[in-house]
Amino acid sequence: MTTFLQLHLLTSYPPACLNRDDLNRPKTAVMGGVPRLRVSSQSLKRAWRISDTFHEKVSDQMGIRSKELGRRMRDALLNGVALADLLKPGTLQAEPDGKVSDENATKWAWMIAGEFVDKKTKDGEEETEGEEPEGKSKKKVKKPNVSKETLKSEQIVFYSQKEIEVLGTLIQSLRESGRPPTAEQLRVLKVKEANGSADLALFGRMLASSPDFNVDAACQVAHAITVHRAAVEDDFFTAVDDLNTREVDAGSAHMGEQGFGAGLFYSYVCIDCDLLKENLGGDAELTGKTIKALVEAAATVAPTGKQNSFANRAWAPYVLAEKGSRQPRGLSLAFMKPVNEYGEGMIVNAMTALDTMRTNLDKVYHSGQPLPSESINALTGEGDFQKLLDFATGSGGV
Amino acid sequence: MNGEPHWLSRVTPRPDITYCQLVDLGVLDPYGQHQALWKLFDVAKEDRTDRAEFLFRTESKNRLPAFYLLSQRQPRDHAGLWHIESRPYRPDIQVGDRLAFKLRVSPVVTRAGGVGSHSKRHDVVMDAKRQMNWKHLPEDQRPTLAYLAQKAGETWLRARAERLGCRFDDATVRADGYRTWRKHSAKSIELSMLDFEGSLTIADPARFADALLKGVGPAKGFGCGLLLVRRV
């Protein structure tokens, strides 16, 4: 039986523009026929993944998500600095030591980076390229989707900790031998499990070119939506100042005045604990640490959009963690009917709605038997977040 | 843009108005809204001209009307009813500027009438329905009103792009909120409205400025035609 850890969070964000669309407006959704504000799950995941909270807990076990690893590899080939060190923040600059020529470094880095991305199929013409690593017998030559000039890949690729290590080793050996990577060397670059990469194990990756090396995400995140009606008012009035002038920053200046985007958001996260553990190579301790990092980030880290103008940092006043092998279900159903501010106020009403929905679902589906759970409620001061974390991570999350 | 500044104002009910005033505001129809806004300008009745003194657009906030108001004179409230915020309005617009816009219009086409009758204005949604003989279509083949409004509305708007001095960006124009409004009186009024939203790129600043200040389409006295824009 699979064990799922489900998190339900209510978080109130003050006026903010957490997550914008292409017209610079907060993202929205319609639920129950009523407009809501929305924070996309990509935005949430990214915010959590790059947060200090997450790093503190599992910093040694983080993968790298980048389009630019190719460039870093070229640098490593040129100057001999370990790849892992080059990837740390505050990149150190080292001079090329001449061991590998610029041309070779670029070519090799390109070959390596190409292993991790989709391959474009191109017709015959490029067939003459001598360095085609695997000497395919197919008529059409597949070309890696990495620019030869900039060494940037078209997709963002998630590299696991383990892979970074392997890449580092390969780069050192190439520097020693002075020869381009062999097909065999390239073949063993990708590591099947997300071994040692907490974030990769949680959020997964897709390498369309080599599906064997995909990692199924162990964590599903719903788009956070407001529990109440929230129409995005385009503030054309405050935007007039921008319209009257042509400042460099036009288009964003008025945002500071726009008091839009305040709301109480419901977010839902579901973690497949068994898959997570499997992704992490069965490491129960790391699984526990990863879950802890995620729960803490989900409860305390806000998306970073417009953070400087709004300081929209907020802790969730309400977190409910449930664990069990039942089919997981979000509780957004509770907010189909938008919550209003009457009576005890918005937050209490939202908590009540959530609780009622959960109870009633259990009642009709499981004769009233709730899942084991732990919750905190900062309004009434009930619960203990440490206890909730322990509950979530108990026996490696499983 | 020419030297004479206009004013863009946001007009909202004051928080301290009485219950009676509140109720009065709640039931204002487009006609009543126009009259209420007139009172913000000190223009003697006999000085009033056919030319629209102001353009406005009604929004609803907590079920009370709130207005965007564009006028040459700065509006003033003497009745203690409105909270008015005004800003000088002289948009600096150049070719290639990209703007988000919002526009409420009464989109009409003029069709020649039958023999001996005048040509008549039809709103585009009704017109589209008529063209496809909507009434006689089997029910499951009738497109939804929302679909018709989007299609007919968008066609109408895009056809005006050149006249307005802009290009409407692909796939960004949304048309919704189609509704009709009728007032039965000696001079009975029939009106349909459609709300547009999207983004556009400026092609001809002079024409566009003209559209901003003078409005788009008919029914300006009923809250149509004010083109609201902001930079993106």
Side-chain angles (χ1 to χ4, degrees), chain A residues 21-25 28 229 232-247 250-252 254-255 257-258 260 341-342, chain B residues 8-10 59-61 68 85-94 97-102 172 197-199 212 228-232:
Chain A
D21 68 9
D22 56 340
L23 290 181
N24 243 341
R25 279 174 307 202
T28 54
R229 170 191 290 273
V232 174
E233 277 291 322
D234 247 339
D235 198 337
F236 287 91
F237 179 71
T238 42
V240 166
D241 291 346
D242 262 1
L243 200 61
N244 289 346
T245 56
R246 308 196 60 80
E247 273 159 31
S252 59
H254 68 275
M255 298 283 299
E257 273 190 71
Q258 270 177 341
F260 60 19
E341 70 276 25
Y342 302 127
Chain B
L8 185 71
S9 310
R10 182 160 62 190
E59 304 271 347
S60 163
K61 254 200 175 133
Y68 286 112
E85 303 154 273
S86 295
R87 292 187 179 196
Y89 191 68
R90 57 177 110 201
D92 180 351
I93 286 167
Q94 288 173 18
D97 282 1
R98 197 159 165 261
L99 305 173
F101 75 95
K102 221 166 152 179
T172 65
E197 226 183 300
S199 65
L212 280 182
L228 289 169
V229 292
R230 63 176 173 85
R231 295 192 197 277
V232 287

Side-chain angles (χ1 to χ4, degrees), chain A residues 156-175:
Chain A
I156 298 181
V157 181
F158 215 144
Y159 303 87
S160 74
Q161 189 76 21
K162 191 77 200 245
E163 284 165 345
I164 302 282
E165 252 171 59
V166 175
L167 285 171
T169 317
L170 172 66
I171 285 168
Q172 291 309 328
S173 84
L174 293 182
R175 279 175 53 80

Side-chain angles (χ1 to χ4, degrees), chain A residues 12 34 36 89 99 114 143 198 214 228 252 303 346 361 387:
Chain A
S12 165
V34 168
R36 324 278 182 134
K99 245 181 148 167
K143 294 245 310 150
N214 287 353
H228 49 81
S252 59
M346 184 84 76
L361 275 174
K387 237 173 108 185

Side-chain angles (χ1 to χ4, degrees), chain B residues 194-208:
Chain B
L194 198 55
D195 285 335
F196 288 104
E197 226 183 300
S199 65
L200 54 81
T201 309
I202 303 296
D204 182 338
R207 278 189 183 184
F208 192 76

Side-chain angles (χ1 to χ4, degrees), chain A residues 93-104:
Chain A
Q93 282 300 324
E95 288 302 310
D97 57 8
K99 245 181 148 167
V100 176
S101 75
D102 205 53
E103 190 193 350
N104 276 342

